[in-house]
Amino acid sequence: TFQRQLQQSDCQNVLMKKVFDTHMLFLQINQSAAALKHVFAALRLFVGKFPSAFFQGQADLCGSLCYEILKCCNHRSRSTQTEASALLYFFMRKNFEFNKQKSIVRSHLQLIKAVSQLIADAGIGGSRFQHSLAIINNFANGDKQMKNANFPAEVKDLTKRIRTVLMATAQMKEHEKDPEMLVDLQYSLANSYASTPELRRTWLESMAKIHARNGDLSEAAMCYIHIAALIAEYLKRKGLFSMGWPAFLSITPNIK
Protein backbone atom coordinates (compact mmCIF):
# COMPACT_ATOMS: atom_id res chain seq x y z
CA THR A 1 0.00 0.00 0.00
CA PHE A 2 2.78 2.47 0.93
CA GLN A 3 5.38 1.24 -1.53
CA ARG A 4 5.92 4.66 -3.13
CA GLN A 5 6.48 6.34 0.27
CA LEU A 6 8.77 3.53 1.42
CA GLN A 7 10.92 3.88 -1.71
CA GLN A 8 11.46 7.63 -1.30
CA SER A 9 15.11 8.77 -1.01
CA ASP A 10 16.33 5.27 -2.01
CA CYS A 11 14.42 3.72 0.91
CA GLN A 12 16.30 5.95 3.41
CA ASN A 13 13.29 7.47 5.17
CA VAL A 14 11.43 7.55 8.51
CA LEU A 15 8.56 5.31 7.38
CA MET A 16 10.99 2.62 6.17
CA LYS A 17 12.75 2.70 9.55
CA LYS A 18 9.40 2.21 11.35
CA VAL A 19 8.38 -0.73 9.14
CA PHE A 20 11.85 -2.26 9.53
CA ASP A 21 11.81 -1.82 13.35
CA THR A 22 8.44 -3.59 13.47
CA HIS A 23 9.92 -6.55 11.59
CA MET A 24 12.91 -6.56 13.96
CA LEU A 25 10.64 -6.58 17.00
CA PHE A 26 9.40 -10.05 16.01
CA LEU A 27 13.00 -11.31 16.27
CA GLN A 28 13.79 -9.43 19.49
CA ILE A 29 10.81 -10.85 21.43
CA ASN A 30 10.82 -14.62 22.06
CA GLN A 31 8.62 -16.44 19.53
CA SER A 32 7.68 -20.04 18.89
CA ALA A 33 9.54 -21.84 16.08
CA ALA A 34 6.28 -21.85 14.09
CA ALA A 35 5.88 -18.07 14.38
CA LEU A 36 9.56 -17.50 13.50
CA LYS A 37 9.08 -19.46 10.26
CA HIS A 38 6.58 -16.79 9.15
CA VAL A 39 8.83 -13.95 10.38
CA PHE A 40 11.70 -15.25 8.21
CA ALA A 41 9.34 -15.55 5.21
CA ALA A 42 8.18 -11.94 5.74
CA LEU A 43 11.80 -10.77 5.98
CA ARG A 44 12.74 -12.57 2.74
CA LEU A 45 9.88 -10.74 1.03
CA PHE A 46 10.90 -7.43 2.63
CA VAL A 47 14.57 -7.70 1.57
CA GLY A 48 13.54 -8.86 -1.91
CA LYS A 49 11.22 -5.88 -2.34
CA PHE A 50 13.43 -3.13 -0.85
CA PRO A 51 17.10 -4.13 -1.38
CA SER A 52 18.31 -0.50 -1.55
CA ALA A 53 17.20 -0.01 2.11
CA PHE A 54 20.00 -2.43 3.07
CA PHE A 55 22.64 -2.14 0.37
CA GLN A 56 22.69 1.61 -0.36
CA GLY A 57 23.21 4.73 1.75
CA GLN A 58 23.53 4.27 5.51
CA ALA A 59 24.40 0.77 6.77
CA ASP A 60 22.23 0.93 9.95
CA LEU A 61 19.38 -1.32 8.72
CA CYS A 62 21.81 -3.82 7.22
CA GLY A 63 23.80 -3.98 10.50
CA SER A 64 20.68 -4.42 12.67
CA LEU A 65 19.29 -7.18 10.46
CA CYS A 66 22.64 -9.05 10.39
CA TYR A 67 22.81 -8.86 14.20
CA GLU A 68 19.30 -10.28 14.73
CA ILE A 69 19.65 -13.06 12.12
CA LEU A 70 23.01 -14.15 13.55
CA LYS A 71 21.40 -14.34 16.99
CA CYS A 72 18.84 -16.76 15.50
CA CYS A 73 21.69 -18.81 13.96
CA ASN A 74 22.59 -19.61 17.58
CA HIS A 75 19.00 -20.62 18.45
CA ARG A 76 18.38 -23.86 20.35
CA SER A 77 15.79 -25.00 17.74
CA ARG A 78 17.40 -26.75 14.74
CA SER A 79 14.58 -25.64 12.41
CA THR A 80 15.07 -21.98 13.46
CA GLN A 81 18.83 -22.30 12.90
CA THR A 82 18.21 -23.65 9.38
CA GLU A 83 15.65 -20.92 8.59
CA ALA A 84 17.99 -18.19 9.90
CA SER A 85 20.92 -19.59 7.88
CA ALA A 86 18.75 -19.71 4.74
CA LEU A 87 17.66 -16.10 5.26
CA LEU A 88 21.27 -15.01 5.79
CA TYR A 89 22.35 -16.76 2.59
CA PHE A 90 19.45 -15.15 0.70
CA PHE A 91 20.46 -11.75 2.14
CA MET A 92 24.08 -12.12 0.96
CA ARG A 93 22.91 -13.30 -2.48
CA LYS A 94 20.67 -10.23 -2.79
CA ASN A 95 23.64 -8.03 -1.86
CA PHE A 96 25.70 -9.71 -4.60
CA GLU A 97 22.94 -9.20 -7.19
CA PHE A 98 22.40 -5.59 -6.07
CA ASN A 99 26.13 -4.91 -6.62
CA LYS A 100 25.83 -6.23 -10.21
CA GLN A 101 27.53 -9.50 -9.20
CA LYS A 102 30.73 -7.77 -8.06
CA SER A 103 30.93 -8.31 -4.29
CA ILE A 104 29.15 -8.60 -0.92
CA VAL A 105 31.29 -5.97 0.83
CA ARG A 106 28.37 -4.37 2.74
CA SER A 107 26.95 -7.60 4.21
CA HIS A 108 30.47 -9.00 4.81
CA LEU A 109 31.46 -5.98 6.87
CA GLN A 110 28.20 -5.78 8.84
CA LEU A 111 28.20 -9.52 9.60
CA ILE A 112 31.74 -9.45 10.99
CA LYS A 113 30.82 -6.40 13.09
CA ALA A 114 27.69 -8.17 14.33
CA VAL A 115 29.71 -11.28 15.23
CA SER A 116 32.16 -9.12 17.20
CA GLN A 117 29.24 -7.51 19.08
CA LEU A 118 27.44 -10.80 19.70
CA ILE A 119 30.53 -12.38 21.20
CA ALA A 120 30.35 -9.73 23.92
CA ASP A 121 26.52 -9.64 24.21
CA ALA A 122 25.40 -13.25 23.87
CA GLY A 123 28.53 -15.42 23.91
CA ILE A 124 27.96 -17.07 20.51
CA GLY A 125 30.42 -19.47 18.93
CA GLY A 126 29.43 -22.94 20.16
CA SER A 127 28.41 -26.00 18.12
CA ARG A 128 24.98 -24.51 17.26
CA PHE A 129 26.56 -21.47 15.61
CA GLN A 130 29.18 -23.60 13.83
CA HIS A 131 26.33 -25.78 12.50
CA SER A 132 24.66 -22.66 11.00
CA LEU A 133 27.92 -21.61 9.32
CA ALA A 134 28.16 -25.10 7.79
CA ILE A 135 24.58 -24.78 6.45
CA ILE A 136 25.46 -21.44 4.79
CA ASN A 137 28.53 -23.02 3.15
CA ASN A 138 26.37 -25.92 1.89
CA PHE A 139 23.96 -23.44 0.30
CA ALA A 140 26.90 -21.75 -1.45
CA ASN A 141 28.22 -25.11 -2.73
CA GLY A 142 24.82 -26.23 -4.01
CA ASP A 143 23.69 -22.98 -5.67
CA LYS A 144 23.74 -23.96 -9.38
CA GLN A 145 22.84 -20.44 -10.58
CA MET A 146 25.92 -18.99 -8.87
CA LYS A 147 28.31 -21.76 -9.93
CA ASN A 148 30.26 -19.60 -12.39
CA ALA A 149 30.22 -16.41 -10.27
CA ASN A 150 32.69 -15.60 -7.49
CA PHE A 151 29.81 -15.50 -4.96
CA PRO A 152 30.36 -19.00 -3.44
CA ALA A 153 34.04 -18.11 -2.86
CA GLU A 154 33.01 -14.83 -1.16
CA VAL A 155 30.58 -16.71 1.13
CA LYS A 156 33.30 -19.22 2.07
CA ASP A 157 35.76 -16.41 2.75
CA LEU A 158 33.21 -14.72 5.03
CA THR A 159 32.42 -17.89 7.03
CA LYS A 160 36.18 -18.54 7.33
CA ARG A 161 36.74 -15.04 8.68
CA ILE A 162 33.87 -15.45 11.16
CA ARG A 163 35.50 -18.67 12.40
CA THR A 164 38.85 -16.83 12.74
CA VAL A 165 37.21 -14.14 14.90
CA LEU A 166 35.52 -16.83 17.04
CA MET A 167 38.79 -18.76 17.45
CA ALA A 168 40.78 -15.64 18.31
CA THR A 169 38.12 -14.63 20.85
CA ALA A 170 38.24 -18.09 22.47
CA GLN A 171 42.04 -17.75 22.73
CA MET A 172 41.63 -14.27 24.22
CA LYS A 173 39.39 -15.71 26.94
CA GLU A 174 42.13 -18.24 27.76
CA HIS A 175 44.75 -15.49 28.04
CA GLU A 176 42.71 -12.75 29.73
CA LYS A 177 45.14 -12.82 32.70
CA ASP A 178 48.18 -12.52 30.40
CA PRO A 179 47.92 -8.93 29.06
CA GLU A 180 50.82 -9.20 26.61
CA MET A 181 49.53 -12.38 24.99
CA LEU A 182 46.04 -10.89 24.88
CA VAL A 183 47.27 -7.77 23.07
CA ASP A 184 49.28 -9.93 20.65
CA LEU A 185 46.09 -11.76 19.70
CA GLN A 186 44.21 -8.46 19.30
CA TYR A 187 47.04 -7.14 17.13
CA SER A 188 47.03 -10.14 14.77
CA LEU A 189 43.24 -9.85 14.48
CA ALA A 190 43.52 -6.11 13.67
CA ASN A 191 46.16 -6.93 11.03
CA SER A 192 43.93 -9.53 9.41
CA TYR A 193 41.55 -6.65 8.65
CA ALA A 194 44.14 -4.35 7.08
CA SER A 195 41.93 -4.18 3.98
CA THR A 196 38.78 -3.32 5.98
CA PRO A 197 39.45 -0.05 7.86
CA GLU A 198 36.19 -0.07 9.82
CA LEU A 199 36.91 -3.48 11.37
CA ARG A 200 40.61 -2.72 11.85
CA ARG A 201 39.52 0.35 13.80
CA THR A 202 37.15 -1.77 15.95
CA TRP A 203 39.97 -4.10 17.00
CA LEU A 204 42.50 -1.27 17.48
CA GLU A 205 40.02 0.43 19.84
CA SER A 206 39.64 -2.83 21.72
CA MET A 207 43.45 -3.06 21.99
CA ALA A 208 43.70 0.53 23.25
CA LYS A 209 41.22 -0.27 26.04
CA ILE A 210 43.33 -3.26 27.21
CA HIS A 211 46.50 -1.12 27.19
CA ALA A 212 44.78 1.69 29.12
CA ARG A 213 43.40 -0.82 31.66
CA ASN A 214 46.95 -2.13 32.23
CA GLY A 215 48.34 1.40 32.61
CA ASP A 216 50.31 1.14 29.31
CA LEU A 217 49.32 4.61 28.18
CA SER A 218 51.91 5.17 25.43
CA GLU A 219 50.83 1.87 23.80
CA ALA A 220 47.17 2.93 24.05
CA ALA A 221 48.11 6.29 22.47
CA MET A 222 49.83 4.41 19.61
CA CYS A 223 46.58 2.51 18.89
CA TYR A 224 44.60 5.76 18.82
CA ILE A 225 47.14 7.44 16.50
CA HIS A 226 46.81 4.49 14.11
CA ILE A 227 43.02 4.87 14.19
CA ALA A 228 43.36 8.60 13.46
CA ALA A 229 45.77 7.85 10.58
CA LEU A 230 43.32 5.29 9.11
CA ILE A 231 40.58 7.93 9.17
CA ALA A 232 42.91 10.59 7.73
CA GLU A 233 43.85 8.24 4.87
CA TYR A 234 40.17 7.51 4.18
CA LEU A 235 39.39 11.26 4.11
CA LYS A 236 42.31 11.88 1.76
CA ARG A 237 40.97 9.29 -0.69
CA LYS A 238 37.56 10.97 -0.47
CA GLY A 239 39.24 14.30 -1.31
CA LEU A 240 38.29 15.82 2.08
CA PHE A 241 41.77 16.06 3.68
CA SER A 242 45.03 16.76 1.87
CA MET A 243 47.65 14.96 3.98
CA GLY A 244 46.42 11.45 4.85
CA TRP A 245 48.50 9.32 7.24
CA PRO A 246 51.77 11.38 6.86
CA ALA A 247 50.04 14.06 8.99
CA PHE A 248 51.04 11.92 12.00
CA LEU A 249 54.71 11.30 11.06
CA SER A 250 55.87 14.11 13.34
CA ILE A 251 54.37 12.20 16.30
CA THR A 252 55.72 8.72 15.46
CA PRO A 253 57.56 7.03 12.55
CA ASN A 254 55.56 3.91 13.48
CA ILE A 255 52.61 5.34 11.58
CA LYS A 256 54.09 3.97 8.30
Side-chain angles (χ1 to χ4, degrees):
T1 306
F2 297 99
Q3 194 155 341
R4 194 172 49 79
Q5 292 95 315
L6 284 165
Q7 283 173 330
Q8 273 175 0
S9 314
D10 284 328
C11 298
Q12 311 289 315
N13 58 68
V14 176
L15 184 62
M16 175 57 80
K17 179 87 173 79
K18 285 184 178 175
V19 173
F20 174 76
D21 286 347
T22 307
H23 277 80
M24 287 300 94
L25 206 58
F26 284 108
L27 292 179
Q28 288 156 355
I29 297 169
N30 283 335
Q31 308 285 354
S32 66
L36 279 171
K37 205 177 168 87
H38 295 291
V39 174
F40 291 130
L43 280 166
R44 274 197 300 276
L45 200 64
F46 188 50
V47 173
K49 216 165 196 164
F50 305 108
S52 51
F54 302 96
F55 309 126
Q56 209 166 298
Q58 294 290 316
D60 307 6
L61 303 194
C62 181
S64 303
L65 184 62
C66 288
Y67 182 87
E68 295 302 336
I69 302 175
L70 280 174
K71 229 163 56 176
C72 294
C73 287
N74 207 39
H75 202 274
R76 60 182 175 276
S77 152
R78 267 290 156 98
S79 66
T80 300
Q81 275 178 47
T82 307
E83 289 273 349
S85 305
L87 175 59
L88 201 50
Y89 181 76
F90 171 79
F91 187 70
M92 290 189 280
R93 203 172 186 272
K94 274 284 165 214
N95 189 182
F96 190 69
E97 287 164 4
F98 188 83
N99 282 355
K100 298 184 174 57
Q101 304 220 337
K102 286 194 190 111
S103 72
I104 54 166
V105 170
R106 163 78 56 104
S107 48
H108 182 125
L109 180 61
Q110 295 306 321
L111 282 164
I112 296 285
K113 278 185 80 174
V115 167
S116 308
Q117 283 174 290
L118 276 164
I119 288 164
D121 300 350
I124 60 163
S127 57
R128 291 198 296 235
F129 194 72
Q130 295 290 355
H131 174 70
S132 293
L133 292 179
I135 292 172
I136 292 165
N137 269 336
N138 289 340
F139 279 130
N141 291 330
D143 195 335
K144 289 191 175 78
Q145 285 176 305
M146 288 289 170
K147 204 168 66 179
N148 298 320
N150 65 343
F151 179 64
E154 291 220 16
V155 172
K156 280 179 200 156
D157 177 55
L158 173 60
T159 53
K160 190 175 154 195
R161 279 180 177 271
I162 289 174
R163 285 196 175 101
T164 306
V165 171
L166 293 172
M167 245 162 57
T169 312
Q171 284 178 303
M172 283 176 203
K173 273 206 160 50
E174 273 176 51
H175 296 287
E176 49 193 0
K177 295 200 165 52
D178 180 353
E180 281 167 11
M181 186 64 182
L182 185 60
V183 167
D184 264 356
L185 288 165
Q186 290 266 12
Y187 182 64
S188 59
L189 204 51
N191 278 351
S192 72
Y193 287 105
S195 59
T196 318
E198 199 171 339
L199 288 172
R200 186 166 165 77
R201 177 195 162 170
T202 303
W203 290 107
L204 284 169
E205 277 176 344
S206 185
M207 252 172 94
K209 282 177 193 160
I210 294 169
H211 279 312
R213 208 166 53 225
N214 297 329
D216 301 328
L217 300 184
S218 57
E219 284 86 346
M222 202 59 81
C223 292
Y224 285 124
I225 289 168
H226 271 83
I227 292 168
L230 269 177
I231 294 167
E233 192 58 25
Y234 175 78
L235 293 174
K236 184 187 176 185
R237 290 174 191 196
K238 283 266 191 189
L240 298 168
F241 179 61
S242 61
M243 284 184 78
W245 66 264
F248 298 91
L249 265 174
S250 58
I251 302 173
T252 172
N254 262 347
I255 211 65
K256 280 183 185 173

